[in-house]
Amino acid sequence: MLDQAPPPAIEGPAVPADLQAMIDRAIADGDAKVIDKLFDYAKAARPDLAAALTAQRKAHLQQVAAREVEAAETARRKLTDAGPFDNWSGQVEFGASWSTGPAESLGAVGALDLKREGVNWTHALALRGEVQDTDGVRAVERVVASWQPRYALSPKSYMFGLTQYEHDPALGYDARYTAALGAGWSLKSGKTLKLALEGGPAVRRTVQDGIANTRLAGRGTVDLGLALGPRLDFAQRASVFYEDGTSSGLFTSTLDSKLSEKLKLRLTYEYRVEQDGISGTSSSGSISRASLVYKL
């Protein structure tokens, strides 16, 4: 805990008690913009107090900087001393749909996303399942599970690994296993804009009708997050794999509306494409859905 620094000795008139009380109250509230404006207004109104006010502002900024260093060190120690089950955060998502008419359709989607922040390492676990029956026939049966560890090289760059399992007969495979390595770069502009780019080689093993194929591939992803307002966020993700004569891609757009600190409504549009140049087959599909997301 930092001690309050004594006021510096300044030649010239002292700051009047009523003005000093206003400054102390503003500093206690902690709004940096209000504090700066108050010092500026006070200096403009009382030029004779300029030396005293400048010294107070300097002392205040030094205390703020020292508290930030202390807080950062405390946070680092917390991450360093954390056990393997500490510092996890995440969210669960659930959505359902039912439609009647010329065709009757019933569908459901569930997802779990977990993330663990460390000093240099970040681990992301994701599990998603989706089913949809149309006129009693299974039209969609999709399962995706992944683990992605990241190692920070700098505040903006990192190395990553990826292991992933997929099951999606509608798009042409009973099981697909992916292992990938690569590098990524991220950019943040306050709380408004987030952008991440990743790329690297991958190995993919696809199983269909008991026949397995293993191929080398290149992987690239683009993640964009944009805060449209205090309670509205937009995200766009594009993930592409390119193999020898074969490619696949997933393009996802989401719009989140915060209902409370823990709960938000999510609208999602997904487009998947699979093109196999070796077998000459091509399949794709899109889906739109609404779901609820709960922050753990």
Side-chain angles (χ1 to χ4, degrees):
M1 186 72 178
L2 293 173
D3 295 329
Q4 182 76 16
I10 299 298
E11 295 183 1
V15 177
D18 54 349
L19 178 56
Q20 188 63 58
M22 294 175 61
I23 294 174
D24 292 342
R25 178 58 185 270
I27 290 176
D29 289 343
D31 190 321
K33 292 183 178 179
V34 172
I35 295 170
D36 286 340
K37 286 183 178 180
L38 182 55
F39 274 117
D40 290 339
Y41 293 156
K43 287 175 66 176
R46 293 290 303 272
D48 57 313
L49 300 177
L53 293 170
T54 298
Q56 281 200 35
R57 174 183 277 183
K58 182 178 179 180
H60 165 67
L61 293 177
Q62 289 174 343
Q63 292 174 21
V64 170
R67 284 195 293 268
E68 290 177 349
V69 170
E70 184 182 41
E73 183 59 31
T74 300
R76 183 178 179 85
R77 285 198 302 268
K78 182 179 178 181
L79 294 177
T80 302
D81 299 339
F85 299 104
D86 297 329
N87 297 333
W88 286 94
S89 61
Q91 60 185 27
V92 292
E93 177 182 354
F94 178 76
S97 62
W98 178 44
S99 64
T100 60
E104 184 172 307
S105 177
L106 177 64
V109 60
L112 172 65
D113 293 285
L114 297 174
K115 188 175 183 180
R116 184 182 188 274
E117 298 279 359
V119 177
N120 295 313
W121 285 95
T122 300
H123 297 269
L125 299 173
L127 175 62
R128 175 174 292 271
E130 186 173 354
V131 294
Q132 181 177 316
D133 290 343
T134 302
D135 288 338
V137 177
R138 182 58 52 87
V140 175
E141 183 180 286
R142 180 178 301 135
V143 177
V144 180
S146 67
W147 168 47
Q148 184 175 16
R150 295 181 180 181
Y151 181 79
L153 300 175
S154 73
K156 292 184 179 180
S157 61
Y158 56 89
M159 301 290 292
F160 72 87
L162 172 68
T163 59
Q164 183 171 279
Y165 165 78
E166 300 170 88
H167 168 74
D168 196 336
L171 289 183
Y173 51 86
D174 294 324
R176 183 160 63 192
Y177 307 89
T178 301
L181 294 171
W185 178 83
S186 62
L187 170 67
K188 292 183 179 180
S189 178
K191 297 182 179 180
T192 303
L193 175 66
K194 297 180 181 178
L195 176 66
L197 306 174
E198 292 182 355
V203 177
R204 310 189 88 189
R205 182 174 180 82
T206 304
V207 181
Q208 176 65 21
D209 298 329
I211 301 175
N213 291 301
T214 303
R215 299 170 181 167
L216 293 175
R219 173 181 179 266
T221 68
V222 179
D223 278 302
L224 173 66
L226 185 63
L228 301 179
R231 309 183 72 86
L232 195 63
D233 296 313
F234 172 78
Q236 177 69 58
R237 176 179 174 84
S239 178
V240 178
F241 286 90
Y242 181 78
E243 307 167 28
D244 184 15
T246 301
S247 61
S248 63
L250 172 61
F251 307 90
T252 307
S253 301
T254 60
L255 186 64
D256 290 342
S257 177
K258 184 183 290 187
L259 304 178
S260 68
E261 289 301 316
K262 291 282 189 178
L263 189 65
K264 56 187 175 184
L265 173 65
R266 171 169 293 173
L267 303 178
T268 304
Y269 174 79
E270 269 187 10
Y271 181 76
R272 294 175 178 265
V273 60
E274 299 283 337
Q275 293 182 341
D276 193 330
I278 297 177
S279 63
T281 61
S282 176
S283 59
S284 62
S286 65
I287 187 170
S288 301
R289 61 174 172 266
S291 57
L292 291 174
V293 179
Y294 181 79
K295 182 179 179 180
L296 300 175

